Every structure is written in structure tokens, then in C-alpha cells.
Amino acid sequence: MSPRPQPGLEYVLTLSCPDRAGLVHAVSGFLVRNSGNILQSQQFDDRLKGRFFMRVHFDVSDPNADLKTLRYRFGPVAESYGLTWTLRDASTPTRTLIMVSKFGHCLNDLLFRQRTGSLNIDIPAVVSNHRDFESLADTYGVPFFHVPVTRDTKPEAEARLLELVRELDVELIVLARYMQVLSDDLCKQLEGRAINIHHSFLPSFKGARPYNQAYDRGVKLVGATAHYVTPELDEGQIIDQDVVRVDHSLDPDELVTVGRDVEAQVLAHAVKWHSESRVMVDGNRTVVFR
């Protein structure tokens, strides 16, 4: 495990813009002027679209070059090149609210990874439409909020969720096998800060018991997809995917076990990369600096 960034001394700058000469020089010049030292630099030149993407992790030796000051000083550089950009303290955990229903493998995995320090996130709350995992959240000392959802109460439930997001200063919402479809309006309000996970059988095997359907078809691959939430169901920008080969010897329950392992790992990757400012949305796609 890599060492945690030093609070107030390490920062991550991400940017995207139409590609043009001098971009890297402009960024490196800004860092030199502000006692910056590059720890990691990654870039991608999308020649098909003519766009440039960059992520720079750096530290500073000037104690007066805090986050607010650096943002102010980078403003003219960003304006002159037409940049879309973010600059954040690398050490600050991303405040992450987790939503779950009746499958707890992804929730348990995220709670464990956060507890052991492999995810730089704070988890101020677990929200569920059932009470199955209230005791699990209690074990980790995370507040649990039961927000039941029916067809008639869905607007009130979503209003309660947004209330929690505001009250708890939530930056990221993770649907860790939360089995309720969010409204289009809520998806738009959470654009770019809500991540979902699902099995890889969509769109072939929809609805209930997808692993049984897959077993009946004799699938040879089991996998998962983590993506941002959009109004188009399960069609948000993909952050990570993975698959595991299987064969005829696995029964439906064994396929479920394999699928849960892949889902947990893929979702953890997506949360980690998002929280470390490694994911940049580009239309229907993402650029992921792993």
C-alpha cells in the first residue's frame, strides 16, 4: 500500500481541454512558480476528438501555497487555455455515502477497505431500503439510515436521500447493489458523483435470477461493470469492468459467488479511482488514469 499523502502538502490537479501546443509547459511552469514538485504525471491525447487530458500529483515546499492560494494562482492559466479543471488536497478523504438493499458483499468490502486504509474515503452514512445490514454498519461505527421505498413513497425517499447528502456534506454516492431505480431528476442532480455496480449479463439476462438464466445458457464468462449513474438505466459512463472465466462445472449458486467477488473488486476500483481524481468524464466515455 502506498503511503498516504501529507495533509496540506500534496495536491492533485486534473484538467481537460482542446489539444494545443504549450499545455504541459504551462502546467509545469505553474508548478515551478509555486514550489511544486511533480510526484506523478499522466496525460492522454485523444487524437480522434482533439482533446487533451492530464492528471498531476505534486507536493509543495512553500507553506504559504495552500489549496485556496493555488487555485487562485492557477485561474489565469486555466482561463488562457480554456481548461476544465479541478485542484484538490490529495490527503482529504472523499465523503462517501453507501446505498444498499439485500445483497451486502459490496457494502462489506467497501467498509473493510475503508477501515484498513486502502480507500481514502470517509463513510458518514449507509442508507438502505431494508434493515438487513444495520448491524454490519454498526460494527464499523457507521450511522445507518433506513429509508423504505414504495411506488407511492419514492419521491419522499429521494428527498430524504438528498437531505442526507446535504447535511452530511457527501461528495460521492455509491450504489452498492441498491436495487431501486433512481428517478431521472435525482440522477441529474447526482451527475458525476454517483457510482453503480451490476453484473455483466445485462442486457442479455434482465430481471430476477440472472445467474440462473446465465447457467441455463451455459455462459463461460462472469463479470461486473461499475459506471456513473445517469437517467439512462445502466448506461452511464463506464469506470471499470472485469470478467472471470467459468465452465459447466459451476452450478447457479457457485456462479453467484464468483459474480459477487468480481462485483466487489470492480466497485472498489471505481471508488478508489474516483476518490483519487483519476477518472475524467469525456462525453459517454471516461479517461481513467490508473
Side-chain angles (χ1 to χ4, degrees), residues 84-265:
T84 299
W85 61 286
T86 65
L87 178 61
R88 61 177 295 165
D89 186 328
S91 68
T92 302
T94 301
R95 290 184 62 79
T96 304
L97 183 149
I98 303 177
M99 304 186 70
V100 66
S101 289
K102 283 184 167 289
F103 300 99
H105 52 288
C106 289
L107 170 65
N108 186 59
D109 183 74
L110 292 173
L111 289 170
F112 178 78
R113 289 175 188 262
Q114 190 275 335
R115 171 67 64 85
T116 56
S118 62
L119 289 176
N120 190 24
I121 62 175
D122 280 337
I123 305 175
V126 170
V127 173
S128 180
N129 53 328
H130 302 281
R131 291 192 176 275
D132 297 54
F133 299 109
E134 185 170 6
S135 60
L136 176 62
D138 289 343
T139 300
Y140 283 91
V142 177
F144 181 91
F145 295 89
H146 179 221
V147 183
V149 182
T150 67
R151 182 177 304 219
D152 294 332
T153 65
K154 187 169 185 175
E156 290 79 4
E158 292 192 344
R160 176 57 176 152
L161 172 62
L162 288 175
E163 182 180 52
L164 289 170
V165 168
R166 290 190 294 268
E167 290 178 353
L168 300 174
D169 195 23
V170 169
E171 300 171 275
L172 175 66
I173 297 90
V174 178
L175 278 61
R177 292 306 304 270
Y178 180 69
M179 307 306 290
Q180 290 287 325
V181 177
L182 305 184
S183 68
D184 288 358
D185 180 65
L186 181 59
C187 289
K188 291 174 183 176
Q189 293 192 61
L190 301 179
E191 183 178 3
R193 55 187 185 126
I195 295 175
N196 188 29
I197 183 73
H198 59 71
H199 56 75
S200 65
F201 300 138
L202 295 173
S204 298
F205 307 133
K206 298 180 180 179
R209 302 172 66 82
Y211 285 93
N212 291 73
Q213 298 177 52
Y215 172 81
D216 290 340
R217 286 293 305 276
V219 299
K220 298 298 183 281
L221 292 173
V222 171
T225 296
H227 62 85
Y228 285 115
V229 174
T230 62
E232 295 75 27
L233 183 63
D234 294 327
E235 294 187 14
Q237 300 93 340
I238 296 170
I239 304 170
D240 192 37
Q241 294 177 301
D242 202 0
V243 295
V244 175
R245 295 196 65 85
V246 296
D247 60 31
H248 61 275
S249 67
L250 275 66
D251 64 29
D253 289 339
E254 291 171 322
L255 289 179
V256 169
T257 298
V258 172
R260 287 177 176 175
D261 288 344
V262 180
E263 288 170 6
Q265 185 173 55

